[in-house]
Every structure is written in C-alpha cells, then in structure tokens.
Amino acid sequence: MIAQGLPASPGAACGQIVFHADDAQEWHKDGHKVVLVRIETSPEDLAGMSAAEGILTARGGMTSHAAVVARGMGKCCVSGVGSLNVSYKDKTVEIDGIVYKEGDYISLNGTTGQVYAGEVPTKAAELSGDFKELMDLCDKYTKLQVRTNADTPHDAQVARNFGAKGIGLTRTEHMFFEDKKIIAMREMILADNAAGREKALAKLLPYQKADFKGILEAMDGLPVNIRQLDPPLHEFVPHDLAGQETMAKEMGVSVEDIKRRVDSLAENNPMLGHRGCRLGITFPEITAMQTRAILGAACELKKEGKNPMPEIMVPLIGTLYELKQQKEVILEAAKEVFAEYGIEVEFEIGTMIEIPRAALTADRIATEAQYFSFGTNDLTQMTFGYSRDDIASFLPVYLDKKILKVDPFQVLDQKGVGKLIKYAVEKGREVRPELRCGICGEHGGEPSSVKFCAKIGMNYASCSPFRVPIARLAAAQGALECE
Amino acid sequence: MIAQGLPASPGAACGQIVFHADDAQEWHKDGHKVVLVRIETSPEDLAGMSAAEGILTARGGMTSHAAVVARGMGKCCVSGVGSLNVSYKDKTVEIDGIVYKEGDYISLNGTTGQVYAGEVPTKAAELSGDFKELMDLCDKYTKLQVRTNADTPHDAQVARNFGAKGIGLTRTEHMFFEDKKIIAMREMILADNAAGREKALAKLLPYQKADFKGILEAMDGLPVNIRQLDPPLHEFVPHDLAGQETMAKEMGVSVEDIKRRVDSLAENNPMLGHRGCRLGITFPEITAMQTRAILGAACELKKEGKNPMPEIMVPLIGTLYELKQQKEVILEAAKEVFAEYGIEVEFEIGTMIEIPRAALTADRIATEAQYFSFGTNDLTQMTFGYSRDDIASFLPVYLDKKILKVDPFQVLDQKGVGKLIKYAVEKGREVRPELRCGICGEHGGEPSSVKFCAKIGMNYASCSPFRVPIARLAAAQGALECE
C-alpha cells in the first residue's frame, strides 16, 4: 500500500495513470484501462471519469464531486489522499518521495480507501453463493424495494444484476457533457430568445432520445424514473476564452456577447437559484423537449416489442402550481409524441420532494403527483441551511465538539429531515392513499437511513449500483424490526 | 415628477446629489443634506447611506441591499429606477435626456417611489392628532406588541417616538463598517490563529461597547434584543488591492498572504455556509467579545442609574447543541464581566428560528432558549429554497404565470413558512409555556403577516422604525379578528 484516502466509492480498480479527463477518454478509446488521478474533479471531467476504471483525488471528502459522481456511476473512487502531490504540467504524481508517471500502473480499493502501486488483479463483483442466499432471504421479508440511481445503460445493467427493481433516479444533466451535446446544450442556454432555444433543443432531442432508449431498454419491464433538467445553467456554459470563442463562432455572435450571457448566469447562491423546475417554468421548451425524448424512446421500444416503463419527474417543486404548470407541458408534449408515433405508452408523472415547503404542503402537491421521490441531498441542505459544497469549513469542528454526531449528508437526520419526510408521506397519502414514495438521495444506500425509510412505509429506496445489496439488507432488517 | 421607481423604504428626502458613499460622508460632515444616487449599493456604502437623507438606485428590487438597509435605517429609499443613467466617472445622472450633476437638488418620496427635481419641502413625521388617537385605540385591543429593528441610537429613538415597545433586532454587523472598526474587524478575520483574533477583538471591544451603550440608553427601560455576529466573514474583507495592501501593512504580513486568506473565505453558497452561530462555534472568542461588549455597556448604564434590558440572541441555530455551546460561552463571559464591574445586570438568552430544522425541533431548542425570534427572511429562503439575491431571474415569470401570488419575501407565506412558524411556537411552548415568541424579518412590518403573527399568539413583531405605526394597526386588527 502506498497511500490511504477516503473510501469514496466502493469497488476495486486497476489501470494506467492519466491526469486529464481528455487523456482518459483517448487512452480508453485505444483500449487502455486507466485510473484518472486529479487534485479534484469538476463537471467537465465527467466523460473522462466515465472512461476510467477508477478515480483518485488529492482533495475532497465523501461528498466531493469525485465521490458523488463516482458512486453515481458505480465506479471505484478514493478521494482526499493528502499525501498525493499531483503535477499536471509534468504529468506526474509524487507519493512519499516516489514519483509515478503517466502510464504507470496503480490500483485502488474504493471500499477501504487504499491505494497500491502496480497491477493488483481484480474481478467483477457478482451475486452468488452465500451472498445470493442472503439476498434472497432479504427479499422474503422486505417490503421496501431497492432501485438504483443510474444515468447510463451500463450502470442500469450492473444494478439490475445486483437485484435492483428499477431506476429511482436518472439524472439527465451528465448526458450533456459529451462531445457534440455540450455544444448544442450551450447553444440552447446562450440563445437570447425562445426561437434560438428551440433550434438548439431540436439538435439535442435525438441525443437525449438515444440516451433514454438505452436506459429504458436495459431496465426493460422495470420502472425508470427520469428527472427533468435540474442544475443551474451556469454549470454548462464555458468559462474559458477558448470555449467562449467556439460558441461565438458556432452561434455567429461576438465573444463579448457570449461572455456577457455567461456572466449574467452567475448567481450568489446557485443552490437556491434558478434551477430545477424553475428552469422548466421559465423555459417550458426544455421540459417539452425532454418529454419528447423520453416518450419517443419509449414508443420506439414498444414498437420493437419491449416493455418500457417511464416515469417523468419534476424536480425542486415548492408549490402546487409549479407542478401543475409543468404537468400541462408534459401532457401536451406526450399527446404530440403519441400522435407522431401512432402508439401510446403508459407513463407516470411525479415530483421530487426536496424543498422543505414541498414537504410541508405535501397534501396539496399529492393532488397532482403520482409519486413522491424524496431528494434527501437538497432536503438536507435546506432543512439544515448547510451548503454541501461549503460545509467543510465548519463540519470538522462540529463533529469534534459533538454538535453533530455524523455528517447529515451521509446519514439521514431523523429528528429534523426525517420528521419532514414522515410528515410528507403521511399527508400525501391522506389525499392519495396509493401514493408511491421513495428516496433517491445519497442516503438511499446508507443502512440506518434505508431502515428509517422502511419503517415509515416508503415503497422504495434508490441508491448507486454497488450499494444495492447493502440497501436490500437494510430494507429487510427494517421490515423485521417493525414486526 | 421626473422618474418613478419602487417604494423601497417609506418617508421623504430632499438633498444634493452625490454619487459615492465617501462623498456622502464628507458633504454631510460639511453640513450638506445629500441624496446618495447609485446604480446599486453594497455593504461598503453603509456609512455613506447612513449620512445621506435618502437613497436612489437604478437597479434592485424591494429586497435589494439598498432597500433592506434603508428600511432598517428608517431612511427613505427609491430603488429600481430603470430610467436612471448614472455615470460615476462624470458624476452625473441622466433621466429622460436631462442631465443632473453632483450638487444638484433632488427629492424622493419613498412611500410612492416618486422622484422629483429640485427641493420639495419635507417635515418630520410625528404621532399626533387623529393619528395618535388611532394608535391609542390600537393599544387598547392589541395583544401583540410592536418592537423595532434598530442598529443605532437614532433609529431606536425614532421608533420609540412611534410607539415601539423595545428593539426586536439589533444587527451588529453594520457597526463594523465604520472607520477604524473595519480595520480591526478585518484583522480579526484575517488572523490565522486564536491569539491573532483575540488581539484584534480586544481592539473591537470598546467600539462595540460604545455602540451597544448608545442603543441600550435610547431604549432605557425597554428590552433590546441584540443578535450575535451573523453574516459570512467574506463580506467584511477587502477584495481590492488597495484594501489588501492596507491590511498587509497593518498586520505585518505579505499581500499574497492576505489575498490567499481572502480567497479561502469564498463560498459557493454563502447563504448556506459559514455564518451565524457557525462563526461563534468555530471562533468562540467572537461570541465572548460581543457578550462582554453588551453586558459591559449594560453594567455601565446600571451604575449610571439607568435600566438597561439586554437580550442576547444566537443566530442561525439548527440543532440544540449549537445553542447549548454558545450559551456556555455567553454565560462564562457574563460571569467575568459582572465580576469586573462588581455589579450584575439581568439579561436573557434566546435564539433566532430561521433554519427549518430549528422550527422542526423547537421543543428541543426551547429547553435552552428563553425566547424565539423568527427570522422570516432566512426562514423563507430555506423553506422555499429561494436565494433572496437571485430570485429576480425567475420571480417575474412566477408572478406573471400566477405560480406565486406575491413575493414571499414581502408577504409571509402562511401555507408553508407560516405552518412551520405556528408549529414551532406550539412545540416550544409545550416545554416552556412562558416562551416569548416574536418575528424580526422583513415581514414584521407587513400588515397581513403581522396579523398572522397576532393570530398564532406571538408576543411581538419587530419592524423598521417607520413601519411601527402600520404594524401596530395590523396587530390590533389581528386581535379583533380573533375575538
């Protein structure tokens, strides 16, 4: 072992060191297995992270970008290895005086946070023997189903092999970071009128449809819950001059125009800003395009004899009227798609419950929602008033002084956030007794949190693929403790 | 009338145009009455805003910096006048083709948002005649008292003349922006260890004590609720080179060191970051200094035969243990101060309820709090997940599409935020029946919100000085509607 970091995402990985996301993609294309080594990762590294076997970072905790994305991808990650000295310029990393170069082999254990030099052989995890027997036993007692969070057909398949009963959360935003999609996405955001947005969205539609088709196919016969676009638009636009020049040329406007538009998207508190359904309400054409892509994919699959079960989820709802308005847009787009394909697919429309006000007014929101999916990451942020990105400045002191026993982004806070969730489940079912309730935040794979969800009568928990087995065990334990 | 803007803070103002906060201070010192005209204002303009008769801005809504601070100061403000073309360089403002220069007279009506050229005579508002009779009638029926939000002896006095029964919120942060205080404050923040902070805090102590003494004296015999330091430290440090050089010289370190420290304070979502009691917990010496200043001032006044009634409020509590820890620091500092002065002053320790989790766990928090003060600005931010600084990008569409009927930062949202407040009042009083509950957000001066507070049994509402009469009327109406 050459270093110890945080066990940010379980599993094992072995490959050749690369330092840039672009290199990870290129080496991967050439048939190499690579481990992406970074000081820290950002959304622009997504394609490279996806191409790598594992991710190793010098900075960042259990909820850093690298950790969260890797868990989402079901990809091994070790984060926060302080002894790593990365030089992007020299393409080297020095650990305890020894220098490792690009192309050198390195191995990670994401379950323990250990880092090894050279090639340590790995094998794919599988559900067999005693493990399978235990999981079957769990199924006998559990009432809460386990779904997975998956953004790609591959992740969906991995989770399905681990016994996931569907997808609880497909995020559409990661899909936009690949190749040509990001150009069209940026064009859509930087357009200054609806016509410009429509034009760019028309380019995005086939990409999105292909993405959704792959996922729906991998989960054939099981429900797939797809969330409409959620993050602030600022995250997608180019902040570097080269990227801004590309967009200026693409769109036939000046670099100054692009720069001004990029700057105008900056927010003081983006987590509380123009995101989630607020995007869909101000730009309904985005909601319409995504609906067309989801249901278009479903129609094609149905024609091919498959059984797609799409669920369309509206994020960041805080008021009943937001959901009503988005539902109208979705239903209108659905009608068009079904007319176009000459076929209909059953689908549901639900909402994230991740804003405290949504939980507090759950009885109103349930009148328009077929299901609730509790987004406990945001719900924890807003219920505590903690920014997940900024908590590092005081969390260590809080843990040290025993003000918090655990990081509430890791383990669901039952006294506060949990109270809100329980209230929302009860109030929602008062008006809609069959209301399906699930959880899709990071807590969906944390045992004590899953048990809590089982005990308050949730229908499912959704977690990253490799956490499916532990969630199934916790769900069964929760059911037994209730008897 | 030459322009129409938003009625950002009521009252009238007339004076000579100045464009910079520094100029406002200088002209004011020379005996001029000035109106500060800005594109928008920032915390660094505070001293200038305080020196001006009124404030006029080209940008910003009813909850912009200029509007909120002006209301807090009880100072007339017209904001968001789109037809204003301000040139800081030429020191001119052009309105509909006519150019007004520095020194020209201008008049504002903050109650209607109207702007006039030249000197329109004004007179001080007073409580007399029919107005007084109406207010006396209100007192006969009301149960909810009206306090004021005031950060200076002058504001306290104005509000007292309007019938305020104490101070519901004294913010200590504005005090730090004057002259030498900001240097000492910056030194405290930029110090990289507790000893450095203690040294800077010792310099701040006499300034703070003098500030608190003035306010406690103006409100002699009435309660004064003082909030411990609340905003993110980033707001206080210099972001310009000149300011950074001053601090480097003052502290005997390099400009690079200062720059690095300033940069390290940047946050992705400062509203959800290292602020409020999180500052007091990570830097208990700040809480201790402020306690010494408050109670030192009170001891001095008591020795002078006065009757100071300080209340010390811990902001941004989300868990019981935060309050417990801060209370220990306050009680320890109080013991020291009383020993030093050889005299004791009665005081109370309470908390803001402004984080949803605090409201949800009110029965726990009330075990340690003598009173609850509902900070409805932050509570609205977090319950809705709206950043007050960023809402402008979607609020107009929300109002237009009737998703929101009103701006929830103006009018308290009774269905969501109000439900949380009602729950917290009830739960808090279950464990502490005598628990005093009040509101100190912007809503404390908005009639429908004040009525709501009266109906759920709150003890007081606190608002900016010039809103005291309307709040008194609303409080009486609320009491009558309950009968």
Side-chain angles (χ1 to χ4, degrees):
Chain A
M1 191 177 76
I2 55 171
Q4 171 76 50
L6 297 171
S9 180
C14 168
Q16 290 175 274
I17 297 174
V18 292
F19 294 95
H20 296 281
D22 294 349
D23 295 334
Q25 283 181 276
E26 270 184 39
W27 286 51
H28 176 70
K29 238 179 249 167
D30 297 342
H32 296 275
K33 293 191 172 219
V34 297
V35 169
L36 180 62
V37 179
R38 302 280 304 165
I39 297 173
E40 56 192 348
T41 63
S42 71
E44 284 164 14
D45 298 327
L46 277 170
M49 294 171 75
S50 169
E53 300 299 305
I55 296 128
L56 174 63
T57 71
R59 280 199 217 134
M62 296 292 289
T63 55
S64 63
H65 179 266
V68 172
V69 171
R71 283 200 294 277
M73 291 178 171
K75 186 150 309 230
C76 165
C77 175
V78 174
S79 73
V81 184
S83 59
L84 244 56
N85 286 307
V86 176
S87 166
Y88 290 136
K89 197 168 58 86
D90 303 336
K91 297 197 174 177
T92 59
V93 54
E94 179 254 301
I95 307 172
D96 285 341
I98 301 174
V99 175
Y100 303 86
K101 296 188 300 296
E102 186 183 59
D104 287 352
Y105 276 91
I106 198 167
S107 301
L108 311 178
N109 183 341
T111 312
T112 61
Q114 291 169 322
V115 183
Y116 301 88
E119 274 183 282
V120 178
T122 64
K123 63 176 197 134
E126 52 189 37
L127 203 59
S128 60
D130 290 348
F131 184 19
K132 184 172 186 312
E133 206 172 313
L134 176 65
M135 286 294 108
D136 289 344
L137 193 63
C138 288
D139 281 352
K140 214 171 125 183
Y141 295 100
T142 196
K143 289 192 180 98
L144 176 134
Q145 288 195 326
V146 176
R147 292 194 187 186
T148 191
N149 300 345
D151 306 338
T152 65
H154 171 261
D155 289 350
Q157 193 57 55
V158 168
R160 195 168 186 162
N161 295 346
F162 280 128
K165 296 282 193 283
I167 293 184
L169 176 65
T170 289
R171 285 160 295 210
T172 63
E173 47 268 26
H174 296 166
M175 301 174 179
F176 291 114
F177 275 99
E178 285 165 33
D179 307 334
K180 290 177 201 156
K181 291 184 222 178
I182 189 67
I183 301 284
M185 182 66 180
R186 288 174 172 175
E187 197 179 322
M188 191 278 290
I189 297 168
L190 298 170
D192 56 7
N193 56 48
R197 279 192 296 277
E198 297 269 15
K199 197 179 127 216
L201 284 166
K203 291 186 201 171
L204 281 171
L205 178 62
Y207 295 125
Q208 283 250 292
K209 197 168 70 180
D211 285 331
F212 293 141
K213 195 170 173 185
I215 293 171
L216 285 165
E217 191 167 18
M219 274 289 164
D220 192 49
L222 293 176
V224 174
N225 185 12
I226 300 172
R227 179 174 73 183
Q228 297 270 1
L229 190 66
D230 182 61
L233 299 182
H234 200 245
E235 289 190 10
F236 298 99
V237 294
H239 295 276
D240 59 313
L241 184 62
Q244 294 182 353
E245 282 171 351
T246 304
M247 290 315 301
K249 200 187 276 180
E250 187 77 24
M251 297 173 69
V253 297
S254 72
V255 177
E256 287 66 42
D257 279 344
I258 297 292
K259 201 176 154 357
R260 190 163 38 237
R261 184 86 181 104
V262 167
D263 290 345
S264 77
L265 291 170
E267 294 185 302
N268 290 303
N269 298 284
M271 270 298 158
L272 305 175
H274 196 179
R275 55 177 284 240
C277 70
R278 299 165 201 172
L279 295 172
I281 285 166
T282 45
F283 307 124
E285 52 275 14
I286 301 180
T287 305
M289 181 279 282
Q290 292 203 298
T291 304
R292 277 185 213 116
I294 295 166
L295 297 180
C299 285
E300 289 179 12
L301 287 168
K302 193 168 175 186
K303 285 191 171 179
E304 294 164 18
K306 300 281 180 8
N307 179 22
M309 295 175 64
E311 302 169 351
I312 300 178
M313 180 157 70
V314 184
L316 219 70
I317 286 291
T319 69
L320 171 64
Y321 298 109
E322 289 171 309
L323 182 57
K324 266 193 156 163
Q325 199 269 3
Q326 287 292 283
K327 222 173 132 175
E328 275 171 29
V329 176
I330 292 168
L331 291 175
E332 179 64 32
K335 219 163 78 181
E336 286 168 23
V337 172
F338 294 156
E340 190 185 316
Y341 283 88
I343 192 174
E344 295 208 356
V345 175
E346 269 190 56
F347 70 101
E348 296 194 355
I349 301 176
T351 183
M352 297 281 285
I353 303 287
E354 54 188 334
I355 295 272
R357 194 179 187 281
L360 291 164
T361 59
D363 50 345
R364 292 169 57 82
I365 290 175
T367 61
E368 293 286 342
Q370 288 177 282
Y371 61 91
F372 281 175
S373 175
F374 289 87
T376 50
N377 297 348
D378 266 303
L379 196 59
T380 299
Q381 286 204 111
M382 295 177 199
T383 305
F384 272 93
Y386 292 165
S387 159
R388 214 156 52 130
D389 298 323
D390 301 308
I391 195 176
S393 56
F394 58 90
L395 183 63
V397 175
Y398 268 48
L399 294 173
D400 184 51
K401 295 195 177 178
K402 307 261 186 295
I403 285 168
L404 291 174
K405 286 198 197 79
V406 290
D407 176 353
F409 290 108
Q410 295 292 320
V411 179
L412 187 76
D413 161 55
Q414 297 183 16
K415 284 205 185 78
V417 181
K419 186 184 278 182
L420 213 44
I421 293 175
K422 187 165 178 282
Y423 177 84
V425 170
E426 288 167 3
K427 282 287 167 185
R429 287 184 180 155
E430 272 177 22
V431 301
R432 190 188 284 264
E434 77 286 7
L435 183 77
R436 189 170 63 252
C437 294
I439 176 181
C440 68
E442 286 294 309
H443 306 93
E446 193 283 320
S448 74
S449 313
V450 174
K451 266 192 214 176
F452 173 80
C453 294
K455 288 180 186 174
I456 64 167
M458 276 208 201
N459 302 83
Y460 71 87
S462 187
C463 59
S464 49
F466 287 96
R467 295 175 99 181
V468 167
I470 188 78
R472 289 173 68 190
L473 178 59
Q477 288 171 335
L480 289 172
E481 283 173 23
C482 281
E483 278 185 356
Chain B
M1 192 178 75
I2 55 171
Q4 171 75 49
L6 297 171
S9 181
C14 168
Q16 291 175 275
I17 296 174
V18 293
F19 295 95
H20 296 281
D22 294 350
D23 295 334
Q25 284 181 275
E26 271 187 39
W27 286 52
H28 176 70
K29 237 179 252 170
D30 297 344
H32 296 275
K33 295 192 171 217
V34 298
V35 169
L36 180 62
V37 179
R38 301 280 303 164
I39 297 173
E40 57 194 346
T41 64
S42 71
E44 283 163 17
D45 299 327
L46 276 169
M49 293 170 75
S50 172
E53 300 299 307
I55 295 128
L56 174 63
T57 70
R59 280 200 217 133
M62 295 292 290
T63 55
S64 63
H65 179 266
V68 172
V69 171
R71 283 201 294 277
M73 290 178 171
K75 187 151 307 235
C76 165
C77 175
V78 174
S79 72
V81 184
S83 59
L84 242 58
N85 286 307
V86 176
S87 166
Y88 290 135
K89 196 168 59 84
D90 302 336
K91 297 198 175 179
T92 60
V93 54
E94 179 253 304
I95 307 173
D96 284 341
I98 300 175
V99 175
Y100 302 86
K101 295 189 301 296
E102 185 183 60
D104 287 352
Y105 276 90
I106 198 166
S107 301
L108 310 178
N109 183 340
T111 312
T112 61
Q114 292 168 322
V115 183
Y116 302 87
E119 274 183 281
V120 177
T122 64
K123 63 175 197 135
E126 52 188 37
L127 204 58
S128 61
D130 291 349
F131 185 18
K132 184 171 185 317
E133 205 171 313
L134 177 65
M135 287 292 110
D136 289 344
L137 193 62
C138 289
D139 281 350
K140 214 171 125 182
Y141 295 101
T142 197
K143 289 192 180 98
L144 176 133
Q145 287 195 327
V146 176
R147 293 194 186 186
T148 191
N149 299 346
D151 307 338
T152 65
H154 172 261
D155 288 350
Q157 193 56 56
V158 168
R160 197 168 185 164
N161 294 347
F162 280 129
K165 295 282 192 284
I167 293 184
L169 176 65
T170 289
R171 286 160 294 209
T172 62
E173 47 269 26
H174 297 166
M175 301 175 180
F176 291 115
F177 275 98
E178 284 166 33
D179 309 334
K180 289 175 201 159
K181 292 184 224 178
I182 189 68
I183 301 283
M185 182 68 179
R186 287 173 172 176
E187 197 178 323
M188 192 278 291
I189 297 168
L190 298 170
D192 55 8
N193 54 49
R197 280 191 296 276
E198 296 270 13
K199 197 179 128 217
L201 285 165
K203 291 186 200 171
L204 280 170
L205 179 61
Y207 295 126
Q208 283 249 291
K209 197 167 70 178
D211 285 331
F212 294 141
K213 195 171 172 184
I215 293 171
L216 285 165
E217 191 166 17
M219 274 289 164
D220 192 49
L222 293 175
V224 174
N225 185 12
I226 300 172
R227 179 174 72 182
Q228 296 270 1
L229 189 67
D230 182 60
L233 299 181
H234 201 245
E235 288 190 9
F236 297 100
V237 294
H239 296 276
D240 60 315
L241 184 63
Q244 295 182 353
E245 282 172 349
T246 303
M247 289 315 300
K249 201 187 279 180
E250 187 77 22
M251 298 174 67
V253 297
S254 72
V255 178
E256 286 67 41
D257 279 345
I258 298 290
K259 202 179 156 350
R260 191 163 38 235
R261 183 87 180 102
V262 167
D263 289 345
S264 77
L265 291 170
E267 293 185 304
N268 290 304
N269 296 284
M271 271 298 159
L272 305 176
H274 196 179
R275 55 177 283 241
C277 70
R278 300 165 200 172
L279 296 172
I281 285 166
T282 46
F283 307 123
E285 52 274 15
I286 300 180
T287 305
M289 182 281 283
Q290 293 202 298
T291 304
R292 278 187 212 115
I294 295 166
L295 297 180
C299 285
E300 289 179 12
L301 286 168
K302 194 169 174 186
K303 284 192 171 180
E304 293 165 20
K306 301 278 178 17
N307 179 22
M309 297 175 64
E311 301 169 352
I312 300 178
M313 180 156 72
V314 184
L316 219 70
I317 286 290
T319 68
L320 171 63
Y321 298 108
E322 289 170 310
L323 182 57
K324 266 193 156 163
Q325 198 268 4
Q326 287 294 282
K327 222 175 134 175
E328 276 171 28
V329 176
I330 292 167
L331 291 174
E332 179 65 29
K335 220 163 75 181
E336 285 170 23
V337 171
F338 294 156
E340 191 184 316
Y341 282 89
I343 193 173
E344 294 206 358
V345 176
E346 270 190 55
F347 70 100
E348 297 193 355
I349 300 175
T351 183
M352 297 281 285
I353 302 288
E354 53 190 336
I355 296 272
R357 194 180 188 280
L360 290 164
T361 59
D363 49 346
R364 292 169 57 82
I365 290 174
T367 61
E368 293 286 342
Q370 288 177 282
Y371 60 92
F372 281 175
S373 175
F374 290 87
T376 51
N377 298 346
D378 266 304
L379 197 58
T380 298
Q381 287 204 111
M382 294 177 201
T383 303
F384 273 93
Y386 293 164
S387 160
R388 215 156 53 130
D389 298 323
D390 301 309
I391 195 175
S393 56
F394 58 91
L395 183 63
V397 175
Y398 268 48
L399 294 172
D400 183 52
K401 295 195 178 178
K402 307 260 184 296
I403 284 168
L404 292 175
K405 286 198 197 81
V406 290
D407 177 351
F409 290 107
Q410 294 291 321
V411 179
L412 187 75
D413 160 54
Q414 298 183 18
K415 284 204 185 78
V417 182
K419 186 184 277 181
L420 213 45
I421 293 174
K422 187 166 179 283
Y423 177 84
V425 170
E426 288 168 2
K427 283 286 166 185
R429 287 185 179 154
E430 273 177 21
V431 300
R432 191 186 283 263
E434 77 285 6
L435 183 78
R436 190 171 61 253
C437 294
I439 176 181
C440 69
E442 286 295 310
H443 306 92
E446 192 283 319
S448 74
S449 313
V450 174
K451 266 193 215 176
F452 172 80
C453 294
K455 288 181 185 172
I456 64 167
M458 277 210 201
N459 303 82
Y460 70 88
S462 188
C463 59
S464 50
F466 287 96
R467 294 175 99 180
V468 167
I470 187 78
R472 289 173 68 189
L473 178 59
Q477 288 170 334
L480 289 173
E481 285 174 21
C482 282
E483 279 188 354

